[in-house]
Amino acid sequence: ADRLRQRILAREMEPGAWIDELKLCSELGISRTPMREALKVLAAEGLVTMKLRRGAYVTEMSERDVQEAYQLLALLESDAAA
Protein backbone atom coordinates (compact mmCIF):
# COMPACT_ATOMS: atom_id res chain seq x y z
CA ALA A 1 0.00 0.00 0.00
CA ASP A 2 2.86 2.36 0.84
CA ARG A 3 4.56 1.86 -2.52
CA LEU A 4 1.32 2.34 -4.44
CA ARG A 5 0.48 5.41 -2.35
CA GLN A 6 3.88 6.91 -3.22
CA ARG A 7 3.34 6.23 -6.93
CA ILE A 8 -0.12 7.80 -6.85
CA LEU A 9 0.99 10.90 -4.96
CA ALA A 10 4.05 11.30 -7.22
CA ARG A 11 1.64 11.07 -10.17
CA GLU A 12 3.47 8.07 -11.60
CA MET A 13 -0.04 6.63 -11.80
CA GLU A 14 -2.27 9.19 -13.48
CA PRO A 15 -5.57 10.24 -11.88
CA GLY A 16 -8.44 8.32 -13.45
CA ALA A 17 -6.11 5.57 -14.74
CA TRP A 18 -7.04 1.92 -14.48
CA ILE A 19 -4.76 -0.03 -12.12
CA ASP A 20 -3.39 -3.15 -13.78
CA GLU A 21 -3.15 -5.51 -10.81
CA LEU A 22 -1.26 -8.25 -12.64
CA LYS A 23 1.37 -5.85 -13.99
CA LEU A 24 1.90 -4.28 -10.56
CA CYS A 25 2.10 -7.69 -8.90
CA SER A 26 4.90 -8.72 -11.25
CA GLU A 27 6.71 -5.36 -10.83
CA LEU A 28 6.54 -5.54 -7.05
CA GLY A 29 7.11 -9.29 -6.79
CA ILE A 30 3.93 -10.01 -4.84
CA SER A 31 0.82 -12.14 -5.36
CA ARG A 32 -2.66 -10.80 -6.05
CA THR A 33 -3.89 -11.23 -2.48
CA PRO A 34 -1.59 -8.60 -0.92
CA MET A 35 -2.21 -6.36 -3.94
CA ARG A 36 -5.94 -6.52 -3.41
CA GLU A 37 -5.52 -5.82 0.31
CA ALA A 38 -3.34 -2.80 -0.51
CA LEU A 39 -5.99 -1.54 -2.94
CA LYS A 40 -8.64 -1.87 -0.23
CA VAL A 41 -6.48 0.22 2.13
CA LEU A 42 -5.98 2.87 -0.55
CA ALA A 43 -9.70 2.83 -1.35
CA ALA A 44 -10.46 3.48 2.32
CA GLU A 45 -8.05 6.42 2.16
CA GLY A 46 -9.78 7.72 -0.96
CA LEU A 47 -6.77 7.34 -3.25
CA VAL A 48 -8.28 4.46 -5.22
CA THR A 49 -11.81 3.98 -6.50
CA MET A 50 -13.09 0.41 -6.79
CA LYS A 51 -15.61 -0.23 -9.57
CA LEU A 52 -17.63 -3.43 -9.55
CA ARG A 53 -16.50 -5.83 -12.31
CA ARG A 54 -14.20 -3.14 -13.72
CA GLY A 55 -11.34 -3.08 -11.24
CA ALA A 56 -9.55 -0.30 -9.43
CA TYR A 57 -8.85 3.21 -10.68
CA VAL A 58 -6.70 6.02 -9.34
CA THR A 59 -9.07 8.56 -7.79
CA GLU A 60 -8.99 11.95 -9.43
CA MET A 61 -8.03 14.42 -6.71
CA SER A 62 -7.06 18.06 -6.63
CA GLU A 63 -3.99 19.27 -4.76
CA ARG A 64 -6.30 20.61 -2.05
CA ASP A 65 -7.93 17.18 -1.68
CA VAL A 66 -4.51 15.62 -1.13
CA GLN A 67 -3.56 18.22 1.47
CA GLU A 68 -6.81 17.67 3.35
CA ALA A 69 -6.30 13.90 3.26
CA TYR A 70 -2.82 14.25 4.75
CA GLN A 71 -4.11 16.56 7.47
CA LEU A 72 -6.79 14.05 8.36
CA LEU A 73 -4.29 11.17 8.37
CA ALA A 74 -1.97 13.17 10.65
CA LEU A 75 -4.82 13.73 13.11
CA LEU A 76 -5.84 10.10 13.05
CA GLU A 77 -2.27 8.86 13.49
CA SER A 78 -1.64 11.17 16.43
CA ASP A 79 -4.87 9.98 18.10
CA ALA A 80 -3.94 6.36 17.44
CA ALA A 81 -0.47 6.89 18.91
CA ALA A 82 -1.97 8.46 22.03
Side-chain angles (χ1 to χ4, degrees):
D2 289 333
R3 288 191 241 166
L4 290 178
R5 185 182 302 107
Q6 290 171 357
R7 287 184 179 192
I8 291 169
L9 295 176
R11 295 216 182 243
E12 292 174 21
M13 300 172 75
E14 293 293 321
W18 174 67
I19 298 172
D20 186 343
E21 290 180 32
L22 293 176
K23 181 181 173 189
L24 285 172
C25 285
S26 95
E27 284 178 21
L28 299 173
I30 60 173
S31 68
R32 290 185 79 181
T33 300
M35 175 59 68
R36 288 183 177 163
E37 291 302 315
L39 291 172
K40 287 179 187 177
V41 168
L42 296 175
E45 294 175 9
L47 294 173
V48 170
T49 302
M50 306 296 282
K51 296 183 180 180
L52 188 62
R53 295 191 185 117
R54 294 177 63 201
Y57 292 80
V58 178
T59 301
E60 296 185 56
M61 299 176 71
S62 69
E63 187 174 327
R64 180 186 168 118
D65 292 336
V66 173
Q67 289 174 347
E68 289 175 357
Y70 269 114
Q71 289 173 349
L72 179 60
L73 284 173
L75 291 172
L76 293 172
E77 289 174 354
S78 66
D79 284 348

